[in-house]
Amino acid sequence: MQPFTYVRADSLDAALSEASQPGAAIMAGGTTMVDLMRGNLAAPSRLVDIGHLPGLSEIDTTGPVLRFGALARMADVAEDATLLRDYPALSESLRLAASQQLRNAATLGGNILQRTRCQYFRDGISNCNKRVPGSGCSALDGENREMGLLGTSDQCVATYPGDWGAALAAFDTSVELRSVGGSRTVPFAQFHLPYGDDPAHESVVQPGEIVTAITVQAMPAGRKSTYVKVRDRQSYAYAVVSATVALEMDGDTVTSARVSLGGVASKPWRAPEAEAVLTGRTLTEAVALEAGAAAFAAARPLHHNAFKIELGRRAVARAALLASKRT
Amino acid sequence: MSVQTIPVTLEVNGHNHSLHLDPRTTLLDALREHLGMTGTKVGCNHGTCGACTVHIDGHARLACLTLAAAATGHSILTIEGLAAADGTPHPMQAAFVAYDALQCGYCTPGQIMSAIACVAEGHTRTDDEIRDYMSGNLCRCAAYPNIVAAVRHVAGAV
Ligand SMILES: Cc1cc2nc3c(=O)[nH]c(=O)nc-3n(C[C@H](O)[C@H](O)[C@H](O)COP(=O)(O)OP(=O)(O)OC[C@H]3O[C@@H](n4cnc5c(N)ncnc54)[C@H](O)[C@@H]3O)c2cc1C
Ligand code: FES
Ligand code: FES
């Protein structure tokens, strides 16, 4: 870990001013940040601890716009009874993530900004275009079971690992940002950047900017939603693949569908191809599997991860069938 | 290069400790290396094993991913703070002994801290729920069945 100056901000304005200093980085729960610093994957000269700021931990899950303060803790939000009833997919994505110790510390804002778990990025020595732009990607021909197959590029095949972000992608989500210069709101679909030629840049967040809230437009399909997470072990593991489905139905017919994927893509991944298959159809297992296949139509499998296409197809299908049974 | 230190006050098991620490010091290292409280264990130092679990303001947290400076102003409870003043073990400690919920014992302080939080939060309705809420604590001796039994026992007693 490189030396840094620790600054604990006691107001948002103070935090914004500290964050605008050269070399500054934000720490909220620290569950990603401390580990990145320990591995020298982040080396801020000034660490701005926003974890104690008042006013950014509130959530409102009842209004026409759901509002999640950036500092709300995963564990607290996972326990919110209204969210569990009206948007089970969002609630489940949090409860099925990490461990209770981590969920108690980790914030919702930090969660959407967590970095890939790609071993070649984390090990600090392999070629990695995320860590050292231009050095190459060891995962392309390496051990690539954990890597992505959607939204990847020849420069980087790492996956975005977060569950909450994967589920948020199925909804009309936005992220509110503040800096000393003002505020802006970014649609979630544009919040994370596609890899293309520049995998080192993962989100639109600029130095000095602080995420203050995540908002989700209320929608009836929230109730008929679910988050299916497939893991290598039953609990406390990142998704090998995850599928979020939210449906509006008229009898057995799907009138509107939202589908997103996690664990298989460079960013939280919306799957409009799967939504198109479901919309207007009577939901049967065959239709659900057809939607799953459509979600992976553009997949670029690597040597060790092609199995995720079939696994993902079935995860989408299972999520669709489970979601349709929710009331 | 001389390392700059900052004043850090930690409230551990009801006592305040004033330290001067390199800002990089984790709560885990502050407890073990600076306060000599070695009950909290170092396993992975990456947030994956749970050996370093302590309570911060009543919630189970990982001391290896918490900077000591960030823990100032919060109340920290470690395994050393569980027994009563007369030395009587905490009911969860007693249950771990009664149910033989350990072999080498390395993971045990972290397991017990998580187990107490698991019961306090009411995540003990089924064995599966206990396992899920305890899954952040790995046991390389695989004492899991007996750990679940100990937690179930304490949950039933409260
Ligand atoms: C062992 C382990 C297992 C895990 N398993 C899972 C899992 O299964 N599913 C899952 O989804 N996650 C998992 N995680 C990741 C965990 O959920 C994230 O580390 C956590 O959500 C990050 O939140 P934080 O508040 O601790 O962020 P921090 O570590 O404080 O920050 C993370 C990043 O976001 C930036 N940041 C934080 N808050 C803001 C803000 N408000 N504005 C601007 N920038 C900000 C920081 O600068 C940093 O770059 C796991 C982590 C570990 C260590
Ligand atoms: S030492 Fe902290 S989780 Fe392993
Ligand atoms: S008792 Fe040995 S690691 Fe758990």
Side-chain angles (χ1 to χ4, degrees), chain A residues 13-14 97 109 183 197 207 253 258 266 279:
Chain A
D13 284 340
S183 58
D197 291 333
T253 306
R258 303 297 187 96
S266 55
T279 307

Side-chain angles (χ1 to χ4, degrees), chain A residues 13-101:
Chain A
D13 284 340
L16 291 168
S17 143
E18 288 292 349
S20 71
Q21 304 293 315
I26 302 290
M27 179 175 78
T31 59
T32 281
M33 197 60 192
V34 172
D35 207 34
L36 290 176
M37 292 192 298
R38 187 149 41 215
N40 291 324
L41 299 168
S45 54
R46 198 174 189 78
L47 187 67
V48 184
D49 182 357
I50 62 168
H52 306 81
L53 284 184
L56 291 182
S57 320
E58 278 78 39
I59 65 167
D60 174 5
T61 50
T62 55
V65 177
L66 283 65
R67 206 180 158 76
F68 303 92
L71 294 180
R73 310 278 159 175
M74 291 171 74
D76 294 336
V77 181
E79 301 266 332
D80 185 80
T82 311
L83 193 67
L84 180 61
R85 187 194 63 206
D86 292 348
Y87 300 87
L90 294 178
S91 185
E92 289 160 354
S93 77
L94 292 168
R95 192 178 56 74
L96 297 175
S99 66
Q100 185 70 348
Q101 295 99 310

Side-chain angles (χ1 to χ4, degrees), chain A residues 274 277-278 281 283-296 309-321:
Chain A
V277 170
L278 292 170
R281 304 278 291 279
L283 189 64
T284 61
E285 189 175 333
V287 168
L289 283 165
E290 189 187 327
F296 285 85
I309 296 177
E310 179 60 19
L311 193 63
R313 180 174 83 107
R314 294 181 190 200
V316 169
R318 183 191 290 179
L321 294 171

